[in-house]
Amino acid sequence: MDMNQEKTPLFNKLMEFQKHKPISLHVPGHKNGTVIPTGSKEIYQRIMSIDMTELNGLDDLHAPEGIIAEAQDLASDYFQSQKTFFLIGGSTVGNLAMILATCGEGDKVIIQRNCHKSVWNGLELSGATPILVSPAFDNEVGRYTVPNKGQLIKVINQNPEARAILLTYPDYFGRTYDLKPIIEAAHEQQIAVLIDEAHGVHFSIPHSSVPKSALELGADAVVQSAHKMAPAMTMTAFLHIGLSTKLLNSATISHYLAILQSSSPSYPLLASLDTARHYLATRTTEDIDFVLNSVLSMRSILATNDVWKLLPFHITIDDPLKITIEVRSGYDVNQVIRLFEENHIYAELQTENQILFIHGLEVFNEWRRLKTTVEKVTRELKINEKHATIEKHTNIFPKQISSLHYSYKQMKELNQVFVSWEESIGKVAAQHITPYPPGIPIIGKGEVIEVAHVHHIKQLLNAKIKFQQHNIQHIQQGLYVFL
């Protein structure tokens, strides 16, 4: 049944509630934005006025029957899902819930090796046994992207007892792949297809230049970060159950979301999911055409120099809103980032030699500022002596198919010791080693450490790439391994 996508029931109810200037004799402690620390009133007062709790008429995320249920139903109708859940813990909580709802201790699950750290954490919580499929290196874009399609289908057919396959689509840089045959192969074996589509919420917009969502292609469950590419607040996401799936139970998903998500969810976050869905649902073909013309103009400006090269873009395969440049040998990517930031332009991500920029879903309007900055950055880089040399690609995934050396149950019983990088080779990692962003572990907990791993990590450390470790000084020296 088609629903009126112009409606925003959750947001509207909060605004209506606010208009009556209610007296708060309940939590939260800011009392509808009337109790605010000195100096922050101007920023927080308006948003706190709709930061409510589960009062009569405002529904309950964990047992929705009113406005939250209606807002989720509208999202389900727009995204064409069997059911859509609102998440206030990001795609992270969606990935955890998908895994816990499908996999138990010892169950096999096929995993794309270059997946987000939340997938690894979900595996550990569930106790599942991952079959790790390494991605292929794409020479055109100079990075690992996705596993070979034939390889994935082969692994699916060799492991019919697997409970699920979990893939990333698109990758952080917006690259997609031919997902439908993989979904069909998995379904032939009754294997549930779970998709981390954190960067693809806007794939729901029907346009010939925008890749199709995994939900439309037949996946059983899809997680999308609303805040990454749609106008929603940080920490918001959607979890969709496939329209025709028979391999997942939405009640089980709901059960784990109730465990993993806060019992006091933020109403401003929930309302921003309601309004983000409305925004996506009301984009027209003409709107997207204007945005794509804006993207072409931005690409043109970024292409006009010889300090870096603009990486290619392919319609229907690549997200048109992602723009990546690769810094040429002899220049320092950190210096490029620093010069952009000195001019108050901030990129999404840097690797040891690439920088990712993300165009929004509206036409860009700071053309003079962007062009002037690009010219200034290029000029300053050419003045300075070239000194950085980018090393050739290291094969950090030497095995196409791999597994963990120990089960997660075994790992709980083992002692750990800290060793230097040189001493770690051949031992089993007791921690993830994760550059962030993108949050994809180079070494996963339970994996045997290879020479290639250590070499690549040292490359990243020399390039001053940030790692998301508990003790940042330790990462310079080594890591914890199992005895």
Side-chain angles (χ1 to χ4, degrees):
M1 180 179 71
D2 290 334
M3 300 177 70
N4 180 6
Q5 292 295 329
E6 294 287 346
K7 296 175 68 177
T8 51
L10 179 50
F11 175 76
N12 288 349
K13 185 67 174 180
L14 290 173
M15 295 305 293
E16 177 190 332
F17 213 84
Q18 176 205 55
K19 286 178 183 177
H20 294 290
K21 297 182 179 179
I23 294 173
S24 171
L25 299 178
H26 53 77
V27 298
H30 58 68
K31 299 296 181 182
N32 301 338
T34 61
V35 180
I36 306 178
T38 304
S40 60
K41 184 174 183 178
E42 186 177 348
I43 294 293
Y44 286 113
Q45 189 171 41
R46 289 211 67 190
I47 196 69
M48 284 180 172
S49 71
I50 61 166
D51 183 30
M52 300 292 182
T53 188
E54 292 87 345
L55 304 175
N56 286 335
L58 295 186
D59 211 359
D60 179 350
L61 178 64
H62 299 298
E65 296 179 333
I67 53 171
I68 294 176
E70 185 180 356
Q72 289 187 149
D73 287 345
L74 279 162
S76 179
D77 176 72
Y78 167 65
F79 288 104
Q80 289 296 286
S81 68
Q82 188 181 121
K83 188 172 182 62
T84 291
F85 296 94
F86 281 8
L87 310 180
I88 44 83
S91 284
T92 290
V93 79
N95 284 336
L96 296 177
M98 284 196 304
I99 293 169
L100 291 169
T102 53
C103 306
E105 189 171 312
D107 286 338
K108 282 188 179 180
V109 54
I110 301 165
I111 299 293
Q112 179 177 325
R113 172 58 187 81
N114 57 334
C115 59
H116 189 262
K117 63 175 186 171
S118 60
V119 173
W120 288 88
N121 292 336
L123 294 172
E124 183 169 356
L125 289 173
S126 70
T129 300
I131 302 166
L132 304 168
V133 185
S134 294
F137 188 83
D138 188 332
N139 287 303
E140 184 184 38
V141 294
R143 63 177 180 265
Y144 286 97
T145 52
V146 298
N148 175 273
K149 179 175 70 175
Q151 184 72 63
L152 275 175
I153 292 174
K154 182 180 177 181
V155 172
I156 288 167
N157 291 332
Q158 289 177 339
N159 295 276
E161 72 280 16
R163 295 296 303 274
I165 178 170
L166 200 156
L167 302 172
T168 305
Y169 173 101
D171 70 7
Y172 207 117
F173 294 83
R175 174 61 57 93
T176 68
Y177 51 99
D178 190 9
L179 184 60
K180 194 168 182 62
I182 299 166
I183 293 174
E184 291 172 348
H187 284 170
E188 284 179 11
Q189 305 291 355
Q190 295 297 297
I191 297 172
V193 179
L194 316 177
I195 302 294
D196 178 355
E197 197 172 276
H199 287 264
V201 69
H202 57 306
F203 289 0
S204 59
I205 301 173
H207 193 281
S208 59
S209 295
V210 178
K212 290 184 177 180
S213 168
L215 196 61
E216 184 180 348
L217 296 173
D220 297 286
V222 177
V223 172
Q224 299 170 331
S225 286
H227 70 92
K228 282 187 168 67
M229 301 301 295
M233 292 178 71
T234 300
M235 288 182 66
T236 58
F238 299 108
L239 195 168
H240 310 291
I241 305 299
L243 195 60
S244 57
T245 185
K246 296 178 182 177
L247 299 174
L248 281 180
N249 187 320
S250 62
T252 307
I253 292 280
S254 181
H255 167 73
Y256 281 106
L257 286 176
I259 292 172
L260 296 166
Q261 298 207 97
S262 171
S263 58
S264 301
S266 161
Y267 274 85
L269 295 184
L270 294 172
S272 81
L273 283 166
D274 194 22
T275 57
R277 181 273 314 157
H278 168 268
Y279 177 88
L280 293 170
T282 54
R283 294 308 88 196
T284 66
T285 299
E286 186 179 39
D287 290 334
I288 302 305
D289 286 341
F290 283 133
V291 171
L292 294 178
N293 285 331
S294 179
V295 170
L296 291 175
S297 296
M298 184 175 287
R299 290 181 65 86
S300 178
I301 289 173
L302 288 168
T304 55
N305 73 88
D306 53 8
V307 169
W308 58 71
K309 67 176 180 179
L310 185 68
L311 293 189
F313 159 79
H314 301 289
I315 292 176
T316 72
I317 295 175
D318 290 315
D319 179 354
L321 303 184
K322 301 289 183 74
I323 303 172
T324 305
I325 63 173
E326 183 173 288
V327 177
R328 296 185 187 278
S329 183
Y331 293 99
D332 184 354
V333 68
N334 292 293
Q335 189 179 12
V336 177
I337 284 287
R338 179 179 59 78
L339 290 171
F340 268 104
E341 292 183 353
E342 283 180 0
N343 289 276
H344 307 289
I345 293 179
Y346 296 86
E348 166 65 17
L349 166 71
Q350 75 175 89
T351 68
E352 64 269 32
N353 67 334
Q354 294 185 359
I355 300 172
L356 171 65
F357 299 97
I358 301 181
H359 191 292
L361 278 169
E362 292 287 342
V363 172
F364 187 73
N365 59 14
E366 292 273 6
W367 296 115
R368 178 174 294 183
R369 187 174 169 189
L370 177 62
K371 188 174 182 180
T372 301
T373 298
V374 169
E375 291 171 351
K376 185 176 178 181
V377 170
T378 305
R379 186 168 57 250
E380 291 194 30
L381 285 167
K382 286 186 173 181
I383 290 172
N384 295 325
E385 182 182 355
K386 297 182 181 181
H387 61 278
T389 301
I390 298 169
E391 293 190 42
K392 289 185 178 180
H393 146 63
T394 299
N395 182 10
I396 59 172
F397 302 114
K399 298 177 182 176
Q400 283 192 325
I401 311 297
S402 60
S403 58
L404 300 185
H405 188 77
Y406 298 118
S407 71
Y408 287 111
K409 184 177 182 180
Q410 288 173 319
M411 286 186 239
K412 290 179 182 178
E413 307 299 323
L414 297 173
N415 294 321
Q416 304 175 16
V417 63
F418 188 85
V419 299
S420 69
W421 286 114
E422 288 71 21
E423 295 174 301
S424 73
I425 296 167
K427 294 182 171 61
V428 179
Q431 64 179 118
H432 301 305
I433 301 297
T434 310
Y436 196 89
I440 297 169
I442 293 171
I443 300 172
K445 182 178 178 179
E447 284 192 300
V448 175
I449 301 161
E450 308 272 354
V451 172
H453 294 145
V454 174
H455 180 70
H456 185 60
I457 288 164
K458 287 188 173 182
Q459 272 185 277
L460 297 181
L461 289 171
N462 289 335
K464 299 179 181 177
I465 300 299
K466 294 178 181 178
F467 282 76
Q468 203 169 53
Q469 307 304 133
H470 294 301
N471 189 326
I472 200 66
Q473 291 179 333
H474 277 178
I475 190 69
Q476 300 286 340
Q477 301 162 10
L479 80 166
Y480 283 94
V481 297
F482 289 114
L483 289 175

